[in-house]
């Protein structure tokens, strides 16, 4: 099978490319400089000449807070451009895999969100991603893979944010303890994506690592794994106003994923250990 990845330099795109290459799959991995997904003529030209079996759209506007003041720009990348990909996927008889997010939900539930639960995004980013889900559904064969709280080597993420604070000598760390979700290590997501595509899945699937936790719990785990001598103080979201409203509860249920693959989600704590040990290996090579 031939895979085409857009946004291939991002966190998910780069780990997916690596996972597919290690399996010996044929991969056309295109970063933004090689394929801007908002460029309709280029999308058509690239996809019709590559003729992939599967297009995985890892390109996105992911700056959640900046999207509030730039909703049209976020919609163009996360919404309208997905329509172009869906059209090209249909012309080439390819399957379109669209990455989406827990931010399509409003967080008012207190039990894990199922794939069929009502969407109701609270932020411009969430609305733009929901537009993307609707656009992806125009591809005759499509898979919408929702995930959350990603961390991986090729992008800014929460682990790096904590590490930056430690580097500045911040103590105690103040971290919100009233938002619940499921952190996910991007190599785990890449494996899950390949597994569900190879299993022939269509429609919506949720993949997130387990278990659920708060950002405070996640921060405590990072500090513990790093052996840092700092304390972590739980605070409320109200104490940390941000431009975009986040869902207070955005735990995604992986029930469909587990049923269709027979595999349980990976542990984010294990992913965190791997992430940190790979980082240490990279740093020591640089010394
Ligand atoms: N990060 C999370 O916590 C999270 C959670 C849930 C779902 N997701 C979803 O997962 C997917 C992958 O996210 P990620 O974390 O890997 O994001 P990322 O690291 O920010 O990667 C996104 C990539 O898309 C590129 N891009 C932006 N505009 C583009 C355009 N017009 N054409 C082509 N490429 C473009 C970016 O390039 P530049 O950096 O050069 O702009 C970047 O390399 C996205 O759909 C995101 O919404 C992410």
């Amino acid at each position: 099978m031939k895979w085409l990845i857009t946004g291939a330099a991002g966190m998910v795109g780069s780990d997916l490319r690596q996972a597919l290459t290690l399996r010996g799959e044929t991969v056309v991995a295109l970063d933004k400089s090689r394929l801007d997904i908002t460029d309709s003529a280029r999308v058509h030209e690239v996809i019709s000449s590559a003729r992939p079996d599967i297009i995985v759209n890892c390109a996105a506007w992911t700056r959640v807070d900046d999207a509030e003041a730039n909703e049209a720009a976020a919609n163009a990348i996360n919404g309208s451009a997905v329509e172009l990909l869906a059209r090209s996927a249909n012309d080439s008889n390819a399957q379109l895999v669209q990455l989406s997010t827990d931010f399509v939900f409003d967080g008012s539930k207190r039990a894990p969100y199922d794939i069929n639960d009502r969407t109701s995004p609270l932020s411009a980013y969430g609305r733009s991603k929901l537009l993307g889900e609707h656009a992806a559904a125009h591809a005759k064969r499509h898979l919408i893979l929702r995930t959350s709280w990603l961390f991986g080597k090729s992008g800014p993420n929460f682990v790096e944010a904590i590490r930056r604070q430690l580097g500045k000598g911040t103590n105690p760390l103040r971290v919100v303890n009233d938002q619940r979700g499921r952190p996910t290590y991007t190599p785990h997501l890449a494996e899950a994506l390949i597994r569900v595509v190879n299993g022939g899945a269509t429609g919506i699937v949720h993949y997130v690592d387990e278990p659920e936790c708060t950002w405070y719990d996640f921060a405590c785990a990072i500090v513990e794994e790093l052996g840092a001598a700092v304390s972590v103080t739980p605070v409320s979201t109200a104490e940390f106003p941000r431009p975009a409203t986040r869902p207070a509860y955005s735990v995604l249920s992986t029930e469909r994923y587990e049923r269709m693959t027979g595999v349980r989600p990976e542990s984010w704590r294990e992913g965190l250990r791997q992430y940190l040990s790979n980082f240490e290996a990279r740093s020591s090579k640089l010394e």
Side-chain angles (χ1 to χ4, degrees):
M1 273 201 306
K2 188 174 190 181
W3 299 67
L4 185 145
I5 305 173
T6 63
M11 262 197 303
V12 177
S14 59
D15 283 333
L16 179 63
R17 174 194 201 160
Q18 187 174 359
L20 288 167
T21 306
L22 283 173
R23 280 177 163 74
E25 296 277 357
T26 308
V27 187
V28 180
L30 304 170
D31 65 15
K32 188 162 76 179
S33 68
R34 294 182 64 203
L35 178 61
D36 178 337
I37 62 165
T38 61
D39 181 339
S40 139
R42 184 90 183 113
V43 167
H44 176 73
E45 177 194 322
V46 166
I47 294 177
S48 58
S49 80
R51 300 207 74 78
D53 300 293
I54 299 155
I55 300 164
V56 186
N57 181 29
C58 298
W61 176 299
T62 53
R63 285 172 287 121
V64 173
D65 288 316
D66 290 349
E68 292 302 311
N70 298 281
E71 189 155 359
N75 286 347
I77 297 170
N78 293 350
S80 318
V82 183
E83 187 75 51
L84 302 175
L85 294 171
R87 217 178 297 151
S88 288
N90 287 342
D91 292 344
S92 302
N93 204 21
Q95 177 175 17
L96 177 62
V97 181
Q98 169 68 9
L99 271 297
S100 193
T101 169
D102 54 330
F103 282 21
V104 295
F105 295 116
D106 63 14
S108 56
K109 267 185 93 178
R110 286 300 172 267
Y113 278 95
D114 182 59
I115 54 163
N116 295 317
D117 276 327
R118 190 179 63 91
T119 52
S120 175
L122 300 173
S123 62
Y125 168 75
R127 289 190 291 276
S128 73
K129 293 298 293 180
L130 187 56
L131 285 177
E133 291 193 3
H134 294 153
H138 291 147
K140 277 184 233 131
R141 289 192 298 130
H142 65 269
L143 170 68
I144 293 160
L145 185 59
R146 293 193 189 122
T147 187
S148 68
W149 296 22
L150 296 180
F151 63 101
K153 66 177 182 302
S154 305
N157 62 66
F158 185 70
V159 185
E160 292 314 310
I162 293 291
R163 233 208 290 246
R164 237 182 352 263
Q165 290 302 319
L166 295 176
K168 283 192 214 158
T170 310
N171 188 10
L173 294 172
R174 290 157 44 81
V175 185
V176 296
N177 197 31
D178 54 3
Q179 289 173 32
R180 292 191 81 74
R182 287 174 65 168
T184 302
Y185 183 42
T186 46
H188 293 167
L189 173 66
E191 291 297 328
L193 187 155
I194 297 168
R195 190 173 287 130
V196 289
V197 168
N198 287 342
T202 55
I204 303 176
V205 174
H206 291 169
Y207 179 82
V208 279
D209 283 350
E210 59 184 15
E212 65 176 76
C213 66
T214 66
W215 290 112
Y216 166 79
D217 299 327
F218 192 15
C220 290
I222 297 165
V223 164
E224 204 175 295
E225 292 296 338
L226 287 170
V230 295
S231 53
V232 188
T233 305
V235 297
S236 70
T237 301
E239 289 173 79
F240 260 108
R242 309 266 295 268
T245 307
R246 270 86 175 153
Y249 180 94
S250 65
V251 175
L252 297 179
S253 162
T254 48
E255 205 234 308
R256 182 173 186 222
Y257 170 80
E258 292 175 52
R259 202 165 9 92
M260 72 194 327
T261 63
V263 176
R264 278 191 73 90
E266 300 280 346
S267 137
W268 58 258
R269 183 84 188 220
E270 197 43 54
L272 176 62
R273 288 192 191 110
Q274 259 177 48
Y275 176 87
L276 294 173
S277 66
N278 289 344
F279 185 89
E280 273 155 27
R282 282 202 302 279
S283 314
S284 64
K285 265 192 214 151
L286 294 174
E287 277 164 13

mmCIF file of all heavy atoms in Angstrom, residues 77-116:
data_model
loop_
_atom_site.group_PDB
_atom_site.id
_atom_site.type_symbol
_atom_site.label_atom_id
_atom_site.label_comp_id
_atom_site.label_asym_id
_atom_site.label_seq_id
_atom_site.Cartn_x
_atom_site.Cartn_y
_atom_site.Cartn_z
ATOM 1 N N ILE A 77 -7.266 26.042 7.133
ATOM 2 C CA ILE A 77 -6.359 24.871 7.186
ATOM 3 C C ILE A 77 -7.085 23.644 7.740
ATOM 4 O O ILE A 77 -7.004 22.552 7.175
ATOM 5 C CB ILE A 77 -5.121 25.199 8.059
ATOM 6 C CG1 ILE A 77 -4.332 26.345 7.427
ATOM 7 C CG2 ILE A 77 -4.238 23.962 8.242
ATOM 8 C CD1 ILE A 77 -3.234 26.916 8.302
ATOM 9 N N ASN A 78 -7.800 23.834 8.838
ATOM 10 C CA ASN A 78 -8.408 22.670 9.516
ATOM 11 C C ASN A 78 -9.752 22.258 8.913
ATOM 12 O O ASN A 78 -10.234 21.157 9.184
ATOM 13 C CB ASN A 78 -8.605 22.977 11.001
ATOM 14 C CG ASN A 78 -7.283 23.123 11.729
ATOM 15 O OD1 ASN A 78 -6.234 22.814 11.173
ATOM 16 N ND2 ASN A 78 -7.321 23.586 12.965
ATOM 17 N N GLY A 79 -10.356 23.165 8.122
ATOM 18 C CA GLY A 79 -11.674 22.869 7.553
ATOM 19 C C GLY A 79 -11.654 22.785 6.039
ATOM 20 O O GLY A 79 -11.670 21.691 5.469
ATOM 21 N N SER A 80 -11.558 23.965 5.378
ATOM 22 C CA SER A 80 -11.688 23.981 3.907
ATOM 23 C C SER A 80 -10.653 23.112 3.211
ATOM 24 O O SER A 80 -10.958 22.444 2.209
ATOM 25 C CB SER A 80 -11.557 25.404 3.370
ATOM 26 O OG SER A 80 -12.249 26.296 4.190
ATOM 27 N N ALA A 81 -9.412 23.127 3.717
ATOM 28 C CA ALA A 81 -8.357 22.345 3.047
ATOM 29 C C ALA A 81 -8.670 20.842 3.097
ATOM 30 O O ALA A 81 -8.297 20.092 2.189
ATOM 31 C CB ALA A 81 -7.004 22.627 3.697
ATOM 32 N N VAL A 82 -9.371 20.426 4.139
ATOM 33 C CA VAL A 82 -9.712 18.996 4.263
ATOM 34 C C VAL A 82 -10.712 18.607 3.166
ATOM 35 O O VAL A 82 -10.702 17.489 2.651
ATOM 36 C CB VAL A 82 -10.243 18.675 5.683
ATOM 37 C CG1 VAL A 82 -10.522 17.188 5.832
ATOM 38 C CG2 VAL A 82 -9.259 19.147 6.744
ATOM 39 N N GLU A 83 -11.536 19.584 2.797
ATOM 40 C CA GLU A 83 -12.478 19.372 1.691
ATOM 41 C C GLU A 83 -11.692 19.082 0.394
ATOM 42 O O GLU A 83 -12.046 18.185 -0.374
ATOM 43 C CB GLU A 83 -13.302 20.663 1.548
ATOM 44 C CG GLU A 83 -14.436 20.615 0.583
ATOM 45 C CD GLU A 83 -15.620 19.827 1.110
ATOM 46 O OE1 GLU A 83 -16.064 20.101 2.228
ATOM 47 O OE2 GLU A 83 -16.091 18.941 0.373
ATOM 48 N N LEU A 84 -10.617 19.840 0.187
ATOM 49 C CA LEU A 84 -9.783 19.622 -1.012
ATOM 50 C C LEU A 84 -9.177 18.221 -0.985
ATOM 51 O O LEU A 84 -9.137 17.521 -2.002
ATOM 52 C CB LEU A 84 -8.632 20.647 -1.071
ATOM 53 C CG LEU A 84 -8.993 22.131 -1.086
ATOM 54 C CD1 LEU A 84 -7.739 22.992 -1.023
ATOM 55 C CD2 LEU A 84 -9.802 22.454 -2.350
ATOM 56 N N LEU A 85 -8.722 17.815 0.197
ATOM 57 C CA LEU A 85 -8.119 16.478 0.320
ATOM 58 C C LEU A 85 -9.162 15.393 0.063
ATOM 59 O O LEU A 85 -8.889 14.381 -0.580
ATOM 60 C CB LEU A 85 -7.497 16.297 1.715
ATOM 61 C CG LEU A 85 -6.281 17.188 2.027
ATOM 62 C CD1 LEU A 85 -5.896 17.079 3.503
ATOM 63 C CD2 LEU A 85 -5.082 16.799 1.151
ATOM 64 N N ALA A 86 -10.382 15.632 0.573
ATOM 65 C CA ALA A 86 -11.453 14.634 0.386
ATOM 66 C C ALA A 86 -11.776 14.485 -1.099
ATOM 67 O O ALA A 86 -11.940 13.368 -1.610
ATOM 68 C CB ALA A 86 -12.697 15.053 1.161
ATOM 69 N N ARG A 87 -11.813 15.616 -1.802
ATOM 70 C CA ARG A 87 -12.129 15.572 -3.236
ATOM 71 C C ARG A 87 -11.036 14.815 -3.990
ATOM 72 O O ARG A 87 -11.313 13.940 -4.805
ATOM 73 C CB ARG A 87 -12.248 17.009 -3.762
ATOM 74 C CG ARG A 87 -13.335 17.149 -4.801
ATOM 75 C CD ARG A 87 -13.488 18.574 -5.279
ATOM 76 N NE ARG A 87 -13.893 19.516 -4.246
ATOM 77 C CZ ARG A 87 -13.575 20.813 -4.251
ATOM 78 N NH1 ARG A 87 -12.848 21.329 -5.202
ATOM 79 N NH2 ARG A 87 -13.996 21.608 -3.291
ATOM 80 N N SER A 88 -9.773 15.137 -3.660
ATOM 81 C CA SER A 88 -8.660 14.465 -4.333
ATOM 82 C C SER A 88 -8.614 12.981 -3.971
ATOM 83 O O SER A 88 -8.244 12.152 -4.797
ATOM 84 C CB SER A 88 -7.333 15.114 -3.964
ATOM 85 O OG SER A 88 -7.245 16.360 -4.583
ATOM 86 N N ALA A 89 -8.973 12.669 -2.723
ATOM 87 C CA ALA A 89 -9.005 11.255 -2.320
ATOM 88 C C ALA A 89 -10.028 10.516 -3.181
ATOM 89 O O ALA A 89 -9.762 9.416 -3.691
ATOM 90 C CB ALA A 89 -9.373 11.134 -0.839
ATOM 91 N N ASN A 90 -11.188 11.131 -3.392
ATOM 92 C CA ASN A 90 -12.219 10.490 -4.224
ATOM 93 C C ASN A 90 -11.734 10.316 -5.655
ATOM 94 O O ASN A 90 -11.927 9.249 -6.261
ATOM 95 C CB ASN A 90 -13.509 11.305 -4.193
ATOM 96 C CG ASN A 90 -14.224 11.156 -2.862
ATOM 97 O OD1 ASN A 90 -13.959 10.217 -2.106
ATOM 98 N ND2 ASN A 90 -15.120 12.083 -2.556
ATOM 99 N N ASP A 91 -11.075 11.363 -6.221
ATOM 100 C CA ASP A 91 -10.578 11.266 -7.606
ATOM 101 C C ASP A 91 -9.582 10.129 -7.748
ATOM 102 O O ASP A 91 -9.482 9.503 -8.792
ATOM 103 C CB ASP A 91 -9.892 12.580 -8.026
ATOM 104 C CG ASP A 91 -10.893 13.719 -8.146
ATOM 105 O OD1 ASP A 91 -12.113 13.435 -8.200
ATOM 106 O OD2 ASP A 91 -10.455 14.889 -8.164
ATOM 107 N N SER A 92 -8.789 9.889 -6.676
ATOM 108 C CA SER A 92 -7.735 8.863 -6.758
ATOM 109 C C SER A 92 -8.161 7.558 -6.111
ATOM 110 O O SER A 92 -7.330 6.657 -5.923
ATOM 111 C CB SER A 92 -6.466 9.362 -6.061
ATOM 112 O OG SER A 92 -6.042 10.549 -6.635
ATOM 113 N N ASN A 93 -9.417 7.483 -5.703
ATOM 114 C CA ASN A 93 -9.918 6.280 -5.036
ATOM 115 C C ASN A 93 -9.100 5.911 -3.792
ATOM 116 O O ASN A 93 -8.831 4.737 -3.529
ATOM 117 C CB ASN A 93 -9.939 5.112 -6.035
ATOM 118 C CG ASN A 93 -10.953 4.076 -5.600
ATOM 119 O OD1 ASN A 93 -11.868 4.398 -4.824
ATOM 120 N ND2 ASN A 93 -10.780 2.836 -6.044
ATOM 121 N N ALA A 94 -8.672 6.939 -3.078
ATOM 122 C CA ALA A 94 -7.869 6.713 -1.871
ATOM 123 C C ALA A 94 -8.737 6.872 -0.624
ATOM 124 O O ALA A 94 -9.793 7.506 -0.667
ATOM 125 C CB ALA A 94 -6.732 7.745 -1.818
ATOM 126 N N GLN A 95 -8.255 6.289 0.483
ATOM 127 C CA GLN A 95 -8.927 6.522 1.762
ATOM 128 C C GLN A 95 -8.316 7.773 2.403
ATOM 129 O O GLN A 95 -7.090 7.962 2.349
ATOM 130 C CB GLN A 95 -8.729 5.327 2.701
ATOM 131 C CG GLN A 95 -9.376 5.582 4.071
ATOM 132 C CD GLN A 95 -9.330 4.386 5.007
ATOM 133 O OE1 GLN A 95 -8.561 3.447 4.801
ATOM 134 N NE2 GLN A 95 -10.151 4.432 6.040
ATOM 135 N N LEU A 96 -9.153 8.610 3.011
ATOM 136 C CA LEU A 96 -8.645 9.793 3.729
ATOM 137 C C LEU A 96 -8.719 9.543 5.229
ATOM 138 O O LEU A 96 -9.782 9.189 5.750
ATOM 139 C CB LEU A 96 -9.478 11.034 3.376
ATOM 140 C CG LEU A 96 -9.086 12.314 4.136
ATOM 141 C CD1 LEU A 96 -7.653 12.742 3.821
ATOM 142 C CD2 LEU A 96 -10.052 13.455 3.798
ATOM 143 N N VAL A 97 -7.578 9.705 5.891
ATOM 144 C CA VAL A 97 -7.552 9.605 7.352
ATOM 145 C C VAL A 97 -7.337 11.010 7.899
ATOM 146 O O VAL A 97 -6.346 11.671 7.567
ATOM 147 C CB VAL A 97 -6.423 8.667 7.841
ATOM 148 C CG1 VAL A 97 -6.443 8.559 9.367
ATOM 149 C CG2 VAL A 97 -6.547 7.293 7.190
ATOM 150 N N GLN A 98 -8.281 11.469 8.700
ATOM 151 C CA GLN A 98 -8.234 12.830 9.244
ATOM 152 C C GLN A 98 -8.021 12.744 10.751
ATOM 153 O O GLN A 98 -8.782 12.081 11.459
ATOM 154 C CB GLN A 98 -9.550 13.561 8.915
ATOM 155 C CG GLN A 98 -9.760 14.872 9.613
ATOM 156 C CD GLN A 98 -8.780 15.968 9.139
ATOM 157 O OE1 GLN A 98 -8.041 15.791 8.161
ATOM 158 N NE2 GLN A 98 -8.749 17.063 9.834
ATOM 159 N N LEU A 99 -6.971 13.420 11.252
ATOM 160 C CA LEU A 99 -6.748 13.469 12.692
ATOM 161 C C LEU A 99 -7.674 14.516 13.301
ATOM 162 O O LEU A 99 -7.789 15.617 12.767
ATOM 163 C CB LEU A 99 -5.299 13.870 12.986
ATOM 164 C CG LEU A 99 -4.215 12.784 13.094
ATOM 165 C CD1 LEU A 99 -4.513 11.850 14.253
ATOM 166 C CD2 LEU A 99 -4.024 11.999 11.830
ATOM 167 N N SER A 100 -8.323 14.167 14.396
ATOM 168 C CA SER A 100 -9.158 15.154 15.064
ATOM 169 C C SER A 100 -8.920 15.100 16.580
ATOM 170 O O SER A 100 -7.977 14.436 17.035
ATOM 171 C CB SER A 100 -10.627 14.987 14.683
ATOM 172 O OG SER A 100 -11.345 16.137 15.099
ATOM 173 N N THR A 101 -9.758 15.780 17.308
ATOM 174 C CA THR A 101 -9.399 16.138 18.680
ATOM 175 C C THR A 101 -10.552 16.005 19.681
ATOM 176 O O THR A 101 -11.728 16.108 19.311
ATOM 177 C CB THR A 101 -8.909 17.612 18.681
ATOM 178 O OG1 THR A 101 -8.782 18.074 20.016
ATOM 179 C CG2 THR A 101 -9.883 18.546 17.964
ATOM 180 N N ASP A 102 -10.182 15.842 20.939
ATOM 181 C CA ASP A 102 -11.157 15.863 22.036
ATOM 182 C C ASP A 102 -11.815 17.243 22.173
ATOM 183 O O ASP A 102 -12.873 17.361 22.786
ATOM 184 C CB ASP A 102 -10.451 15.494 23.359
ATOM 185 C CG ASP A 102 -9.234 16.354 23.666
ATOM 186 O OD1 ASP A 102 -8.567 16.830 22.717
ATOM 187 O OD2 ASP A 102 -8.931 16.562 24.854
ATOM 188 N N PHE A 103 -11.194 18.283 21.582
ATOM 189 C CA PHE A 103 -11.745 19.639 21.708
ATOM 190 C C PHE A 103 -13.009 19.838 20.874
ATOM 191 O O PHE A 103 -13.581 20.925 20.880
ATOM 192 C CB PHE A 103 -10.694 20.694 21.347
ATOM 193 C CG PHE A 103 -9.675 20.948 22.446
ATOM 194 C CD1 PHE A 103 -9.453 20.017 23.446
ATOM 195 C CD2 PHE A 103 -8.936 22.118 22.473
ATOM 196 C CE1 PHE A 103 -8.515 20.236 24.453
ATOM 197 C CE2 PHE A 103 -7.998 22.359 23.470
ATOM 198 C CZ PHE A 103 -7.790 21.412 24.458
ATOM 199 N N VAL A 104 -13.481 18.802 20.174
ATOM 200 C CA VAL A 104 -14.791 18.920 19.506
ATOM 201 C C VAL A 104 -15.923 18.739 20.532
ATOM 202 O O VAL A 104 -17.083 18.981 20.215
ATOM 203 C CB VAL A 104 -14.984 17.913 18.334
ATOM 204 C CG1 VAL A 104 -14.003 18.204 17.218
ATOM 205 C CG2 VAL A 104 -14.901 16.466 18.797
ATOM 206 N N PHE A 105 -15.563 18.331 21.761
ATOM 207 C CA PHE A 105 -16.579 18.154 22.812
ATOM 208 C C PHE A 105 -16.523 19.326 23.789
ATOM 209 O O PHE A 105 -15.491 19.990 23.918
ATOM 210 C CB PHE A 105 -16.335 16.842 23.557
ATOM 211 C CG PHE A 105 -16.511 15.617 22.683
ATOM 212 C CD1 PHE A 105 -15.444 14.768 22.411
ATOM 213 C CD2 PHE A 105 -17.747 15.327 22.116
ATOM 214 C CE1 PHE A 105 -15.607 13.652 21.596
ATOM 215 C CE2 PHE A 105 -17.927 14.209 21.302
ATOM 216 C CZ PHE A 105 -16.849 13.366 21.040
ATOM 217 N N ASP A 106 -17.655 19.543 24.516
ATOM 218 C CA ASP A 106 -17.677 20.685 25.437
ATOM 219 C C ASP A 106 -17.276 20.325 26.862
ATOM 220 O O ASP A 106 -17.174 21.200 27.729
ATOM 221 C CB ASP A 106 -19.047 21.389 25.416
ATOM 222 C CG ASP A 106 -20.183 20.489 25.909
ATOM 223 O OD1 ASP A 106 -19.916 19.429 26.508
ATOM 224 O OD2 ASP A 106 -21.355 20.856 25.687
ATOM 225 N N GLY A 107 -17.071 19.029 27.115
ATOM 226 C CA GLY A 107 -16.569 18.637 28.431
ATOM 227 C C GLY A 107 -17.608 18.616 29.528
ATOM 228 O O GLY A 107 -17.277 18.558 30.712
ATOM 229 N N SER A 108 -18.906 18.640 29.136
ATOM 230 C CA SER A 108 -19.926 18.659 30.188
ATOM 231 C C SER A 108 -20.248 17.254 30.717
ATOM 232 O O SER A 108 -20.915 17.122 31.737
ATOM 233 C CB SER A 108 -21.203 19.334 29.673
ATOM 234 O OG SER A 108 -21.639 18.677 28.518
ATOM 235 N N LYS A 109 -19.773 16.213 30.030
ATOM 236 C CA LYS A 109 -20.022 14.840 30.505
ATOM 237 C C LYS A 109 -19.093 14.503 31.674
ATOM 238 O O LYS A 109 -18.079 15.176 31.867
ATOM 239 C CB LYS A 109 -19.725 13.846 29.372
ATOM 240 C CG LYS A 109 -20.925 13.465 28.521
ATOM 241 C CD LYS A 109 -20.549 12.385 27.527
ATOM 242 C CE LYS A 109 -20.829 10.988 28.062
ATOM 243 N NZ LYS A 109 -20.495 9.943 27.057
ATOM 244 N N ARG A 110 -19.405 13.452 32.386
ATOM 245 C CA ARG A 110 -18.482 12.977 33.414
ATOM 246 C C ARG A 110 -18.185 11.493 33.230
ATOM 247 O O ARG A 110 -17.748 10.809 34.144
ATOM 248 C CB ARG A 110 -19.009 13.262 34.830
ATOM 249 C CG ARG A 110 -18.897 14.718 35.219
ATOM 250 C CD ARG A 110 -17.435 15.231 35.210
ATOM 251 N NE ARG A 110 -17.329 16.672 35.391
ATOM 252 C CZ ARG A 110 -17.279 17.568 34.396
ATOM 253 N NH1 ARG A 110 -17.311 17.157 33.127
ATOM 254 N NH2 ARG A 110 -17.171 18.847 34.641
ATOM 255 N N ALA A 111 -18.456 11.007 32.004
ATOM 256 C CA ALA A 111 -18.085 9.636 31.631
ATOM 257 C C ALA A 111 -17.429 9.753 30.259
ATOM 258 O O ALA A 111 -17.734 10.701 29.513
ATOM 259 C CB ALA A 111 -19.333 8.771 31.559
ATOM 260 N N PRO A 112 -16.522 8.821 29.901
ATOM 261 C CA PRO A 112 -15.767 8.970 28.658
ATOM 262 C C PRO A 112 -16.634 9.206 27.426
ATOM 263 O O PRO A 112 -17.701 8.612 27.274
ATOM 264 C CB PRO A 112 -15.003 7.648 28.568
ATOM 265 C CG PRO A 112 -14.818 7.247 30.005
ATOM 266 C CD PRO A 112 -16.074 7.669 30.708
ATOM 267 N N TYR A 113 -16.175 10.107 26.553
ATOM 268 C CA TYR A 113 -16.898 10.445 25.326
ATOM 269 C C TYR A 113 -16.814 9.305 24.321
ATOM 270 O O TYR A 113 -15.725 8.844 23.966
ATOM 271 C CB TYR A 113 -16.332 11.729 24.708
ATOM 272 C CG TYR A 113 -16.887 12.972 25.354
ATOM 273 C CD1 TYR A 113 -16.200 13.605 26.384
ATOM 274 C CD2 TYR A 113 -18.117 13.484 24.947
ATOM 275 C CE1 TYR A 113 -16.731 14.744 26.991
ATOM 276 C CE2 TYR A 113 -18.648 14.619 25.540
ATOM 277 C CZ TYR A 113 -17.955 15.238 26.556
ATOM 278 O OH TYR A 113 -18.488 16.360 27.156
ATOM 279 N N ASP A 114 -17.991 8.890 23.869
ATOM 280 C CA ASP A 114 -18.095 7.850 22.865
ATOM 281 C C ASP A 114 -18.020 8.503 21.480
ATOM 282 O O ASP A 114 -18.276 9.700 21.344
ATOM 283 C CB ASP A 114 -19.446 7.140 23.062
ATOM 284 C CG ASP A 114 -19.613 6.006 22.077
ATOM 285 O OD1 ASP A 114 -18.761 5.096 22.092
ATOM 286 O OD2 ASP A 114 -20.572 6.046 21.275
ATOM 287 N N ILE A 115 -17.733 7.696 20.451
ATOM 288 C CA ILE A 115 -17.606 8.263 19.091
ATOM 289 C C ILE A 115 -18.890 8.945 18.622
ATOM 290 O O ILE A 115 -18.839 9.865 17.815
ATOM 291 C CB ILE A 115 -17.188 7.186 18.052
ATOM 292 C CG1 ILE A 115 -18.140 5.996 18.078
ATOM 293 C CG2 ILE A 115 -15.758 6.730 18.274
ATOM 294 C CD1 ILE A 115 -18.034 5.126 16.844
ATOM 295 N N ASN A 116 -20.039 8.490 19.131
ATOM 296 C CA ASN A 116 -21.314 9.063 18.664
ATOM 297 C C ASN A 116 -21.849 10.175 19.555
ATOM 298 O O ASN A 116 -22.941 10.692 19.302
ATOM 299 C CB ASN A 116 -22.377 7.962 18.564
ATOM 300 C CG ASN A 116 -22.007 6.954 17.501
ATOM 301 O OD1 ASN A 116 -21.567 7.341 16.419
ATOM 302 N ND2 ASN A 116 -22.113 5.671 17.814
#
